[in-house]
C-alpha cells in the first residue's frame, strides 16, 4: 500500500516520519504545530504540513493495519473454528437451548436459591450497604420468579441497563494483592478451576467477590466488589430511579445470576466436556493470542515499514 494513496497532499505527518530526511526533501516542508489537531495531540506531537510538490516525491511505504478482534477472555464469545466434535455439539446445543429452552427454562430461584440470595445479602451488608430491603423486594417480588433463559438471559433490558455487562467488565479479570492474575469463577472468564456443580461455583464466586484482596492501579482494595461503581441513570436512562439507587447490590445480584445460569446450562448440556473445552479455548484464544499474532505478522508482513 502506498502512503501517497493513503494520505492527501495537505496531510499532517508525525515528526518521527518527517525526521527520516532520507525520505523527504526537507527544504520543501513547512514545520509547524497543527492548529486543527485535538488539544491532547497538539500538546505532545510536533507535526508538519507537506506541500503538494514534496508529496509527489514520497517513496513507497508498506503499511500494515490490523484491528485485532476479541479483546476479552470469554472463550465462548464467538463460535470458533474448531475440529472437535464435542465443541460443535455443545455450541449447537446452546443455540437450540436459546431457541427452545423447554425444561431448562427454570425459575431463577431454582438455580440461584433463596439460601444463596440470603448469603449474598449478608455479604453485601458486611460491605456496609444499607437499604437492602429494596433489593429484597426486587428479588422476591419479580426477579426470582423469572425464567432463566426466556425471561432473564434473553431480556434485552438487562443489557440496556448494564446490570450484567458492567460488573462483568469490572470483575472478569483482576490482579490480587500479590500481583497475580485472577479470574472471576464463571464460564465466560479465564478461570480454569474445576467446577463440580453450581454449589461449588457459588463458594468460589463468593470468595472471589468478597474475600480476595485486589490490586488496582497500585492500590490494594479489600475485594472485587470494591471495584464496582454506581451505574448512572444519566448515562443509561433505561434504569429507573430505584434501580440506580441500588445499582451496586443489584448489579452484583444480576452478575451472580448470570454466572449461575450459564454454569447450570453447561452442566446440563455437556457435563463432561464443557470445562476441558473451555480450558483449551482459553489457552489458544487468549493465552497464546499475542504470540500467534506476532507469528503471523512475522511470517506474512516482516517487510512492512509501519505496523
Amino acid at each position: 500500500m502506498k502512503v501517497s494513496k493513503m494520505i492527501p497532499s495537505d496531510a499532517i505527518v508525525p515528526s518521527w516520519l518527517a525526521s527520516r530526511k532520507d525520505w523527504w526533501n526537507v527544504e520543501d516542508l513547512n514545520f509547524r504545530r497543527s492548529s486543527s489537531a485535538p488539544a491532547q495531540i497538539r500538546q505532545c506531537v510536533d507535526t508538519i504540513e507537506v506541500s503538494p510538490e514534496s508529496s509527489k516525491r514520497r517513496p513507497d511505504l508498506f503499511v500494515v493495519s490490523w484491528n485485532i478482534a476479541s479483546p476479552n477472555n470469554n472463550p465462548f464469545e464467538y463460535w470458533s473454528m474448531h475440529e472437535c466434535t464435542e465443541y460443535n455439539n455443545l455450541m449447537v446445543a446452546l443455540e437450540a437451548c436459546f431457541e427452545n429452552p423447554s425444561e431448562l427454562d427454570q425459575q431463577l430461584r431454582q438455580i440461584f436459591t433463596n439460601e444463596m440470595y440470603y448469603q449474598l445479602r449478608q455479604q453485601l451488608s458486611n460491605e456496609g450497604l444499607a437499604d437492602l430491603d429494596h433489593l429484597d423486594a426486587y428479588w422476591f417480588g419479580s426477579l426470582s420468579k423469572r425464567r432463566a433463559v426466556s425471561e432473564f438471559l434473553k431480556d434485552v433490558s438487562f443489557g440496556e441497563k448494564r446490570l450484567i455487562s458492567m460488573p462483568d467488565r469490572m470483575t472478569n479479570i483482576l490482579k490480587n494483592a500479590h500481583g497475580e492474575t485472577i479470574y472471576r469463577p464463571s464460564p465466560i472468564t479465564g478461570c480454569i478451576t474445576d467446577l463440580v456443580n453450581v454449589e461449588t461455583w457459588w463458594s468460589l464466586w463468593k470468595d472471589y467477590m468478597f474475600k480476595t484482596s485486589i490490586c488496582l492501579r497500585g492500590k490494594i482494595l479489600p475485594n472485587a466488589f470494591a471495584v464496582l461503581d454506581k451505574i448512572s441513570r444519566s448515562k443509561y436512562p433505561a434504569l429507573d430511579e430505584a434501580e440506580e439507587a441500588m445499582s451496586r447490590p443489584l448489579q452484583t445480584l444480576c452478575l451472580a445470576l448470570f454466572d449461575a445460569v450459564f454454569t447450570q446450562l453447561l452442566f446440563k448440556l455437556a457435563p463432561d466436556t464443557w470445562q476441558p473445552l473451555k480450558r483449551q479455548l482459553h489457552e489458544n484464544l487468549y493465552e497464546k493470542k499475542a504470540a500467534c499474532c506476532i507469528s503471523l505478522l512475522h511470517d506474512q508482513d516482516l517487510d512492512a515499514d509501519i505496523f
Side-chain angles (χ1 to χ4, degrees), residues 5-34:
K5 293 183 179 180
M6 293 194 331
I7 306 177
S9 59
D10 60 348
I12 301 302
V13 181
S15 57
W16 67 265
L17 186 54
S19 66
R20 291 297 302 266
K21 295 182 179 180
D22 55 320
W23 292 358
W24 305 89
N25 183 346
V26 180
E27 294 179 354
D28 291 340
L29 304 180
N30 176 26
F31 285 81
R32 69 179 180 84
R33 191 176 294 274
S34 169

Side-chain angles (χ1 to χ4, degrees), residues 147-187:
R147 295 290 172 179
V149 178
S150 61
E151 298 176 346
F152 179 64
L153 293 183
K154 296 178 70 173
D155 186 340
V156 297
S157 69
F158 288 96
E160 293 169 346
K161 298 173 183 180
R162 298 298 189 269
L163 290 172
I164 300 171
S165 60
M166 185 69 75
D168 171 57
R169 184 199 309 172
M170 300 299 294
T171 65
N172 190 296
I173 175 173
L174 292 167
K175 298 281 187 180
N176 64 18
H178 305 291
E180 301 165 332
T181 299
I182 55 176
Y183 301 93
R184 190 182 76 250
S186 168

Side-chain angles (χ1 to χ4, degrees), residues 26-188:
V26 180
E27 294 179 354
D28 291 340
L29 304 180
N30 176 26
F31 285 81
R32 69 179 180 84
R33 191 176 294 274
S34 169
S35 60
S36 60
Q40 63 270 29
I41 301 298
R42 294 202 303 270
Q43 293 171 3
C44 61
V45 179
D46 289 324
T47 60
I48 61 172
E49 189 176 78
V50 184
S51 67
E53 292 76 16
S54 63
S55 68
K56 295 176 183 178
R57 295 193 292 273
R58 277 183 226 157
D60 292 347
L61 291 179
F62 178 28
V63 180
V64 174
S65 175
W66 184 5
N67 181 12
I68 301 174
S70 192
N72 303 315
N73 64 78
N74 177 3
F76 298 114
E77 185 171 7
Y78 302 103
W79 193 320
S80 303
M81 298 282 293
H82 205 305
E83 297 178 355
C84 178
T85 302
E86 287 80 6
Y87 172 77
N88 292 317
N89 290 342
L90 170 59
M91 299 304 286
V92 169
L94 278 170
E95 184 177 55
C97 174
F98 273 81
E99 292 298 322
N100 182 24
S102 189
E103 71 275 0
L104 295 178
D105 206 15
Q106 298 174 285
Q107 288 185 326
L108 287 173
R109 61 186 176 185
Q110 295 177 277
I111 301 171
F112 190 84
T113 64
N114 285 337
E115 181 181 356
M116 292 176 174
Y117 172 78
Y118 282 123
Q119 292 172 1
L120 176 63
R121 190 189 194 283
Q122 183 60 54
Q123 294 291 346
L124 294 170
S125 179
N126 293 344
E127 295 298 319
L129 272 64
D131 298 326
L132 292 177
D133 290 345
H134 297 294
L135 189 69
D136 294 341
Y138 195 81
W139 169 250
F140 291 108
S142 61
L143 190 57
S144 67
K145 302 171 186 176
R146 284 180 175 244
R147 295 290 172 179
V149 178
S150 61
E151 298 176 346
F152 179 64
L153 293 183
K154 296 178 70 173
D155 186 340
V156 297
S157 69
F158 288 96
E160 293 169 346
K161 298 173 183 180
R162 298 298 189 269
L163 290 172
I164 300 171
S165 60
M166 185 69 75
D168 171 57
R169 184 199 309 172
M170 300 299 294
T171 65
N172 190 296
I173 175 173
L174 292 167
K175 298 281 187 180
N176 64 18
H178 305 291
E180 301 165 332
T181 299
I182 55 176
Y183 301 93
R184 190 182 76 250
S186 168
I188 66 165

Side-chain angles (χ1 to χ4, degrees), residues 224-268:
F225 174 77
V227 310
L228 298 181
D229 294 322
K230 179 180 179 180
I231 302 177
S232 171
R233 190 181 178 207
S234 62
K235 189 171 183 180
Y236 303 107
L239 289 164
D240 62 34
E241 292 183 5
E243 290 169 337
E244 179 187 39
M246 62 173 173
S247 58
R248 288 191 76 210
L250 182 57
Q251 64 184 293
T252 307
L253 172 59
C254 289
L255 182 64
L257 293 172
F258 180 87
D259 287 342
V261 169
F262 260 112
T263 300
Q264 172 86 340
L265 288 178
L266 289 167
F267 270 119
K268 292 289 186 180

